[in-house]
């Protein structure tokens, strides 16, 4: 049994209503997109909107708005996704967040009858979102993109020192 997550930025995701909220949010996006795009493109539109917004929120923005004396800047260099469940891999929340882009890819592919153009849009979105969620890439900043100056630089120096020893 793990201790409860005290990080107010992400601890709400452990609540039972989280999955229902996420599902209703996706249905709301679907209803909005369906008014603009044809039916065969609706789920692709949802996938694009979801992919863009979730990447920015979960994998780009760092830190916690609740930083205070109790965390001593612990979450400053971590993305939202890295903060979930204190970084433990394969928790139910993280599995759910991997399942959602996969389900959206499937819905978009089936509703478009596997249209090549839409597959070329949906598959890269899925790949980016899934790769960003893999435990092997926890804390990794590919090519220094989204690195935190002073924090990720020190981590590189430490890694280079350990590797050369």
């Amino acid at each position: 049994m793990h201790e409860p997550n005290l990080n107010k930025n992400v601890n709400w995701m452990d609540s039972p209503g989280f999955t229902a909220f996420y599902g209703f949010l996706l249905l709301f996006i679907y209803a909005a997109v369906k008014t603009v795009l044809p039916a065969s493109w609706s789920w692709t539109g949802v996938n694009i909107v979801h992919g863009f917004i979730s990447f920015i929120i979960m994998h780009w923005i760092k830190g916690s708005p609740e930083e205070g004396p109790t965390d001593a800047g612990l979450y400053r260099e971590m993305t939202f996704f890295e903060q979930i469940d204190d970084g433990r891999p394969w928790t139910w929340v993280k599995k759910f967040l991997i399942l959602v882009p996969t389900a959206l890819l499937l819905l978009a592919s089936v509703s478009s009858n596997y249209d090549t153009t839409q597959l070329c849009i949906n598959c890269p979105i899925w790949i980016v979102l899934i790769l960003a969620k893999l435990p092997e890439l926890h804390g990794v900043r590919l090519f220094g993109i989204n690195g935190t100056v002073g924090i990720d630089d020190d981590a590189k120096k430490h890694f280079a020192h350990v590797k050369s020893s």
Side-chain angles (χ1 to χ4, degrees):
M1 186 77 179
H2 294 285
E3 293 180 19
N5 189 347
L6 300 177
N7 182 356
K8 293 178 185 175
N9 194 35
V10 294
N11 66 359
W12 57 273
M13 297 180 84
D14 288 330
S15 68
F18 166 69
T19 54
F21 168 75
Y22 209 98
F24 283 125
L25 192 61
L26 288 173
L27 289 175
F28 177 77
I29 294 170
Y30 176 75
V33 166
K34 195 168 179 149
T35 62
V36 178
L37 296 175
S40 63
W41 277 84
S42 294
W43 284 110
T44 295
V46 172
N47 193 29
I48 292 168
V49 170
H50 173 266
F52 179 75
I53 292 172
S54 68
F55 183 80
I56 296 297
I57 290 173
M58 289 190 196
H59 304 292
W60 193 262
I61 297 173
K62 294 181 179 181
S64 173
E66 291 291 326
E67 286 188 24
T70 56
D71 65 24
L74 177 66
Y75 306 113
R76 188 175 344 143
E77 73 277 359
M78 296 174 73
T79 64
F80 185 86
F81 190 81
E82 292 167 346
Q83 294 175 39
I84 297 172
D85 295 326
D86 293 323
R88 291 187 312 275
W90 304 118
T91 60
W92 81 267
V93 174
K94 289 186 175 183
K95 288 177 186 177
F96 174 75
L97 292 172
I98 287 174
L99 179 67
V100 169
T102 304
L104 287 176
L105 173 67
L106 181 62
L107 285 168
S109 299
V110 170
S111 70
S112 71
N113 201 22
Y114 299 95
D115 177 56
T116 307
T117 304
Q118 291 185 52
L119 283 173
C120 289
I121 294 169
N122 290 314
C123 287
I125 293 169
W126 179 81
I127 289 168
V128 167
L129 290 178
I130 296 302
L131 283 177
K133 290 174 175 59
L134 292 177
E136 292 80 11
L137 294 177
H138 179 84
V140 173
R141 309 291 180 249
L142 295 176
F143 310 113
I145 297 172
N146 199 23
T148 304
V149 177
I151 295 172
D152 292 323
D153 296 340
D154 294 339
K156 284 184 208 172
K157 290 177 189 173
H158 175 70
F159 179 73
H161 176 64
V162 170
K163 192 175 179 181
S164 66
S165 297

